[in-house]
Amino acid sequence: MNRFLIIEDNKLMAEVLAQIIRKCISPKEIIKVSNIASAQKLIIDSSYKIDAIFLDLNIEKPLDGLELLSYIKRTLPDMPVSIITSENETEVVKKVLSHQPTDYLIKPLSVQKVQRSLAKFNRSTNTEVTD
């Protein structure tokens, strides 16, 4: 896994996540977008060859990341996706998990949480996350 897409409207949070990913592995590229339209364009454009996605659940409005997750699952069913959120209410978690993301990370993020996601990405694609 060499290319990651971070879909996060909070620029500081996106940069923190990128730094944590870089602490865990040495990716070739980390692409950051702050809205759904930009994310969909990148997902459609196969030249980017994204290996995995970190997706903010509330990117532009509450729970709209769920719609984007559905879109990703329809367009690229094998794409590993970790949801990033501060939402931990049971009903929200159940709703998100019904869309089968690879992982569900609750903010604040940590090296351990991101490492867990990277390991799950690894297992879901049967490829090794490498330095």
Side-chain angles (χ1 to χ4, degrees), residues 4 14 24 51 75 92 123:
F4 294 88
C24 297
D51 295 311
T75 310
V92 172
R123 287 192 297 273

Short mmCIF file of all heavy atoms in Angstrom, two decimals, residues 4 14 24 51 75 92 123:
data_model
loop_
_atom_site.label_atom_id
_atom_site.label_comp_id
_atom_site.label_asym_id
_atom_site.label_seq_id
_atom_site.Cartn_x
_atom_site.Cartn_y
_atom_site.Cartn_z
N PHE A 4 -2.56 6.77 -0.23
CA PHE A 4 -3.70 6.91 0.66
C PHE A 4 -4.46 8.18 0.33
O PHE A 4 -3.86 9.20 -0.01
CB PHE A 4 -3.24 6.97 2.12
CG PHE A 4 -2.62 5.68 2.59
CD1 PHE A 4 -1.28 5.43 2.42
CD2 PHE A 4 -3.41 4.69 3.17
CE1 PHE A 4 -0.70 4.24 2.82
CE2 PHE A 4 -2.85 3.49 3.58
CZ PHE A 4 -1.50 3.27 3.40
N ALA A 14 -6.63 16.55 8.98
CA ALA A 14 -6.08 15.82 7.82
C ALA A 14 -4.56 15.75 7.91
O ALA A 14 -3.96 14.71 7.63
CB ALA A 14 -6.52 16.49 6.52
N CYS A 24 3.82 5.51 10.91
CA CYS A 24 3.59 4.06 10.87
C CYS A 24 4.27 3.40 9.68
O CYS A 24 4.80 2.30 9.81
CB CYS A 24 2.09 3.77 10.82
SG CYS A 24 1.18 4.33 12.26
N ASP A 51 -4.79 3.20 -2.80
CA ASP A 51 -4.78 1.89 -2.15
C ASP A 51 -5.74 1.79 -0.99
O ASP A 51 -6.22 0.71 -0.67
CB ASP A 51 -3.36 1.56 -1.67
CG ASP A 51 -2.39 1.41 -2.83
OD1 ASP A 51 -2.72 0.68 -3.79
OD2 ASP A 51 -1.32 2.03 -2.77
N THR A 75 -18.63 1.66 -6.28
CA THR A 75 -17.67 1.93 -7.35
C THR A 75 -16.43 1.05 -7.26
O THR A 75 -15.96 0.53 -8.27
CB THR A 75 -17.24 3.42 -7.31
OG1 THR A 75 -18.42 4.23 -7.25
CG2 THR A 75 -16.44 3.80 -8.51
N VAL A 92 -25.60 5.38 15.50
CA VAL A 92 -24.74 5.87 14.41
C VAL A 92 -23.71 4.80 14.06
O VAL A 92 -23.49 4.51 12.88
CB VAL A 92 -24.03 7.19 14.81
CG1 VAL A 92 -23.01 7.60 13.76
CG2 VAL A 92 -25.06 8.30 15.01
N ARG A 123 -4.97 -6.88 5.76
CA ARG A 123 -5.73 -8.15 5.74
C ARG A 123 -6.82 -8.13 4.68
O ARG A 123 -7.07 -9.15 4.04
CB ARG A 123 -6.32 -8.44 7.11
CG ARG A 123 -5.29 -8.87 8.14
CD ARG A 123 -5.93 -9.43 9.40
NE ARG A 123 -6.73 -8.45 10.11
CZ ARG A 123 -6.27 -7.60 11.02
NH1 ARG A 123 -5.00 -7.58 11.33
NH2 ARG A 123 -7.08 -6.77 11.62
#
